[in-house]
Amino acid sequence: MGERPGDVLVHMRINESLVHGWDLARATGQVTSELPEDLAEQTWRDMIDVDLTGEWHAAKAAIPHLRAGGRGGSMILTSSELGLRAMPNTGHYTAAKHGVVGLMRTLALELAADFIRVNALAPTAVDTPMVMNSATYRLFRPDLENPTADDMAEASRAVNALPIPWVEPADISNALLWLASDESRYVTGITLPVDAGWLVK
């Protein structure tokens, strides 16, 4: 079977981790927004394939390497704030990211005997091209015909408890590094929000 959307990115992330000798695996995803009645079947499948099946492919590829190392390790999946709550017009994304949380919890139980910890990150909006684009601006500001990053910032800031519109990539990296480090050696099966307090608001 040929590679599908997301497979290349997933393999890249796994290979980066294994080539550098880390006992770490991490996967990523994509996001789009559409009304449920307008959502094309292919869009649903692509979202599930990239954001959920891609995480499973990454885990499946990493598990034998982590086990073979005999030192345990850390597998970190990428969910989302929407893996812990819901938002209109994101059913396919929200379903995929909730699925990632379920997959992570199951893997945490299945791999614990090998001292392989499995956790997930749940970021809010992050200042990256995946978020900083016209589709996301419209998701946050459907009331405007051509919203900008500044328009989105106002709406995004309103959902966070901390008065910021989004987090920086370094904030996600720092959380990932903590989950991968010995400082979290007994932390497994959690979804760590890096969300400026969106979940508690």
Side-chain angles (χ1 to χ4, degrees):
M1 185 170 176
E3 289 185 336
R4 294 167 27 144
D7 287 350
V8 173
L9 178 60
V10 167
H11 293 304
M12 240 174 33
R13 295 289 187 217
I14 290 297
N15 290 335
E16 284 174 12
S17 297
L18 297 176
V19 165
H20 292 293
W22 302 334
D23 295 322
L24 165 71
R26 180 180 173 271
T28 58
Q30 68 172 2
V31 64
T32 65
S33 167
E34 294 191 42
L35 294 170
E37 66 271 19
D38 296 335
L39 187 64
E41 292 286 329
Q42 190 60 50
T43 302
W44 172 272
R45 279 194 291 281
D46 288 347
M47 183 65 68
I48 299 300
D49 283 351
V50 172
D51 283 17
L52 178 55
T53 306
E55 299 276 339
W56 174 70
H57 284 169
K60 185 176 178 181
I63 290 167
H65 298 283
L66 292 169
R67 281 187 167 144
R71 303 179 301 211
S74 178
M75 182 180 300
I76 301 160
L77 305 183
T78 304
S79 183
S80 166
E81 188 67 24
L82 295 182
L84 301 171
R85 62 184 305 152
M87 181 180 209
N89 306 323
T90 64
H92 54 322
Y93 180 77
T94 299
K97 292 304 186 174
H98 273 76
V100 169
V101 172
L103 175 63
M104 174 274 298
R105 290 175 176 160
T106 302
L107 290 172
L109 292 173
E110 293 172 345
L111 300 175
D114 295 304
F115 243 88
I116 298 169
R117 299 176 295 106
V118 186
N119 295 292
L121 291 173
T124 187
V126 183
D127 188 10
T128 65
M130 186 174 128
V131 170
M132 304 308 284
N133 61 68
S134 59
T136 307
Y137 303 159
R138 284 191 302 276
L139 174 66
F140 276 83
R141 292 303 304 268
D143 57 312
L144 299 176
E145 187 174 338
N146 294 304
T148 65
D150 289 337
D151 297 323
M152 177 189 149
E154 179 185 334
S156 184
R157 190 177 293 111
V159 301
N160 294 332
L162 298 175
I164 60 169
W166 42 72
V167 299
E168 297 299 324
D171 300 312
I172 307 308
S173 297
N174 289 335
L176 182 137
L177 289 171
W178 179 74
L179 285 173
S181 74
D182 286 341
E183 280 75 28
S184 66
R185 65 186 178 162
Y186 299 127
V187 176
T188 193
I190 69 156
T191 304
L192 178 62
V194 184
D195 68 349
W198 187 16
L199 189 61
V200 298
K201 190 166 179 186

